[in-house]
Structure formats: C-alpha cells, structure tokens
C-alpha cells in the first residue's frame, strides 16, 4: 500500500479520496473546509495541517481544485514539502498553458507533474468509474496507474503534459454547446405546444439525442431542481479556457464563443452557482414558459 495525498475534497475529490482510502492506501488529506476532512479521517484518512505537510508524507499527491490560480497556489505550497521523485497528479480542469507552466515549476524541485482531468460527475467519482485523461511522462503515468485504476475505469495517456487538458477542454466545450442547444430545442417545443415529456421521449430515442439531454432534462430541468452537480460557473471557466486554447491554436470557434456568452448571461442572471442545466433558465424567462414535467 502507498503513501498518497489528496487536496481538494469537493463534489468530486471527496469520493476519489474515499475510494483510495477504501483501497487500503494511506491518504493524507487537506481541504479548506474541515467537515469533509473529519468525515474521511473517520473512515481511515490522515489529516494534514497544510499542503506542505501532505507532500512531506505522500509520494504521490492528487489535487482536484477549482481554477488554475488555486491549483498553482496549492502546488507552490505543496512543493515546500515535496521531495525529488514525487509525482503530482492534478485532476482539476485547467488550461493547457497552465499545465505546462505548473509542470515546469514542479520540475525545478525534481517533481513530476501529470495533468489528469476527469469526466463522469460526482456519480462517476463515487462509483470509481471516471474517465481520466492524462498528459505527462509515460513512466510517471505508469507509476500512478494503480491509483488511477481505483478512481476510474477509462484511463488514457494522451502524450506530454497538457494533452490531458486538451481532451478535457474539448469534452467540456461540447458539454456547453449541447446544454445551450437542448435549452433552445426544448423551450421552442414547449412554447409551440408540445408536451415536454413527450418531446423528451421522442428525442431521447432519435438522432438529436445527447448525453446532455439524458442528464439535464430528467435530473434537473423536469423537476426544476438546479442544485449543482457541475455549476454554470465551472462550465463557464472551462469553455473560456477552450476559447483561449482555440485562439492560441488559430482555430475558429464560433459555437464556443456563443456558448461562452450564453453562460455569461446565465451568470449575470444569478445562476452561476446552479447546475449547468440552469443554462435553460434565461431563455425560459424570455419566452414565459418552463420546461417541467
């Protein structure tokens, strides 16, 4: 069994850390909120007072944090306790240039960095069935593979540092575009007089279906419960990172830019902390209809 660390115990991280603990590893924990640390310590985790203390005790450190700035701040602190040969695995969604910069920062201390963003939501994190997209040295990836196999089922080594972030940003770009598209389709159909339940039944079995339709409509939009599993704010951050990457790579991204604007509209309307399915709400308000079962 290994000495591991986990920093960032939010909707995703808490489940991933728990699965590593249940697999028998010693997992050192740090999080801004202590309630979840208390919960995981009761299940066998170890409490650390700082990111540096986590790194002093763990040879592999996992992070699952909110923004590139937060990731950099935490990793700088963790490097104070790290030793040459340690491996930092970042499950956050950050920019490609961010991942490369952080890898260079870690390399100065002899620490290897893997950008390893995940997809599958809190449900996948809890079940240990996440898709994990990794960029970094192949030897480092192979060294942490046994732990990644506890967290996920579909594991990919895509190339050098930054490659994992490219794949994740492409995925979340589509999440945003599909969420915006389904909002327009279902508001249009409902406004025009079709029962949204029947419309969902038709589309979910037809060529217009998508994973976002199957996620957002029955779980969030029909019941009108927009408690966040993945928030508008987080999706806005990811789509903005994809738009930035497109500019760097000189790729036209019209749908991405429009989706970014729609997410900004939803944030301005006060829905930033709600689930990304709430992208439908500004259009519902504009048209005076609600897509509810």
């Amino acid at each position: 069994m290994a000495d591991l660390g986990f920093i960032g115990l939010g909707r995703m991280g808490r489940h991933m850390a728990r699965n590593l603990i249940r697999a028998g590893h010693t997992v050192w924990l740090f999080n801004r909120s202590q309630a979840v640390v208390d919960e995981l310590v009761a299940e066998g985790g170890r409490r650390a007072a700082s990111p540096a203390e986590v790194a002093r005790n763990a040879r592999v450190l996992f992070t699952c944090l909110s923004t590139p700035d937060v990731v950099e701040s935490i990793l700088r602190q963790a490097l104070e306790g790290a030793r040459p040969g340690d491996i930092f695995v970042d499950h956050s969604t950050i920019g490609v240039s961010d991942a490369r910069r952080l890898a260079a920062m870690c390399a100065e201390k002899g620490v290897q960095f893997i950008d390893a963003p995940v997809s599958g939501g809190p449900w996948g994190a809890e079940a240990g069935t996440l898709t994990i997209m990794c960029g970094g040295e192949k030897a480092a990836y192979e060294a942490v593979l046994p732990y990644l196999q506890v967290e996920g089922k579909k594991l990919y080594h895509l190339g050098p540092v930054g490659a994992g972030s490219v794949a994740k940003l492409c995925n979340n770009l589509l999440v945003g575009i599909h969420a915006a598209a389904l909002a327009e389709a279902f508001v249009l159909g409902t406004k025009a007089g079709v029962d949204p339940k029947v419309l969902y039944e038709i589309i979910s079995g037809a060529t217009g279906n998508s994973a976002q339709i199957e996620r957002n409509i029955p779980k969030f939009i029909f019941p009108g419960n927009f408690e966040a599993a993945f928030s508008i704010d987080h999706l806005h951050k990811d789509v903005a990172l994809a738009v930035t990457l497109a500019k760097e790579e000189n790729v036209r991204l019209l749908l991405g830019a429009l989706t970014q604007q729609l997410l900004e509209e939803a944030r301005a309307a006060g829905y930033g902390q709600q689930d990304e399915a709430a992208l439908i709400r500004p259009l519902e308000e504009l048209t005076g209809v609600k897509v509810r079962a």
Side-chain angles (χ1 to χ4, degrees):
M1 296 295 103
D3 291 316
L4 309 176
F6 211 108
I7 299 176
L9 304 172
R11 296 186 185 97
M12 302 288 289
R14 69 179 63 198
H15 297 303
M16 299 160 78
R18 176 177 286 113
N19 287 337
L20 291 168
I21 293 167
R22 289 176 175 174
H25 300 295
T26 299
V27 183
W28 292 85
L29 306 164
F30 179 81
N31 194 65
R32 182 174 55 185
S33 169
Q34 287 300 298
V36 65
V37 177
D38 294 341
E39 178 183 320
L40 293 176
V41 166
E43 298 178 26
R46 305 287 183 88
R47 187 190 311 273
S50 67
E53 184 180 347
V54 174
R56 276 193 293 271
N57 288 285
R59 304 284 59 84
V60 178
L61 170 63
F62 297 90
T63 48
C64 190
L65 300 161
S66 56
T67 66
D69 289 346
V70 173
V71 176
E72 181 170 353
S73 174
I74 290 295
L75 291 190
R76 284 190 181 279
Q77 296 174 64
L79 284 171
E80 296 174 5
R83 291 178 284 183
D86 288 352
I87 302 174
F88 286 3
V89 181
D90 182 39
H91 289 309
S92 317
T93 301
I94 61 177
V96 177
S97 58
D98 297 315
R100 292 169 180 164
R101 186 181 68 256
L102 294 174
M105 182 180 78
C106 291
E108 292 177 0
K109 295 291 292 284
V111 173
Q112 296 202 63
F113 178 86
I114 298 174
D115 60 308
V118 302
S119 181
W123 311 281
E126 185 172 11
T129 58
L130 293 168
T131 297
I132 307 179
M133 300 150 268
C134 301
E137 292 292 333
K138 186 65 178 292
Y141 170 76
E142 291 175 347
V144 302
L145 185 57
Y147 320 128
L148 297 177
Q149 288 171 334
V150 174
E151 298 176 334
K153 293 300 181 188
K154 295 181 179 180
L155 312 176
Y156 299 91
H157 179 254
L158 298 167
V161 169
S165 296
V166 171
K168 178 60 185 292
L169 293 180
C170 289
N171 180 80
N172 281 20
L173 173 65
L174 286 170
V175 168
I177 292 170
H178 290 172
L182 76 86
E184 293 191 353
F186 277 84
V187 168
L188 173 62
T190 303
K191 179 73 170 181
V194 173
D195 184 333
K197 292 182 291 184
V198 177
L199 189 61
Y200 172 72
E201 181 179 343
I202 292 169
I203 293 177
S204 63
T207 55
N209 194 26
S210 70
Q212 283 298 292
I213 287 174
E214 294 185 351
R215 174 197 187 275
N216 290 3
I217 297 294
K219 293 181 180 179
F220 297 93
I221 294 171
F222 275 175
N225 177 11
F226 294 99
E227 182 179 354
F230 181 58
S231 72
I232 290 280
D233 282 342
H234 280 114
L235 182 57
H236 174 265
K237 180 260 295 182
D238 294 354
V239 171
L241 288 171
V243 170
T244 297
L245 178 62
K247 292 177 181 177
E248 294 170 352
E249 297 292 338
N250 197 28
V251 174
R252 172 180 58 76
L253 216 65
L254 295 181
L255 294 178
L258 287 171
T259 300
Q260 183 180 6
Q261 291 181 32
L262 292 171
L263 288 161
E264 289 169 358
E265 177 187 57
R267 296 176 79 209
Y271 301 133
Q273 293 297 310
Q274 295 190 6
D275 189 80
E276 47 103 348
L279 192 56
I280 199 172
R281 299 194 71 180
L283 188 55
E284 288 181 330
E285 292 165 2
L286 282 170
T287 56
V289 300
K290 289 187 177 182
V291 181
R292 303 288 182 269

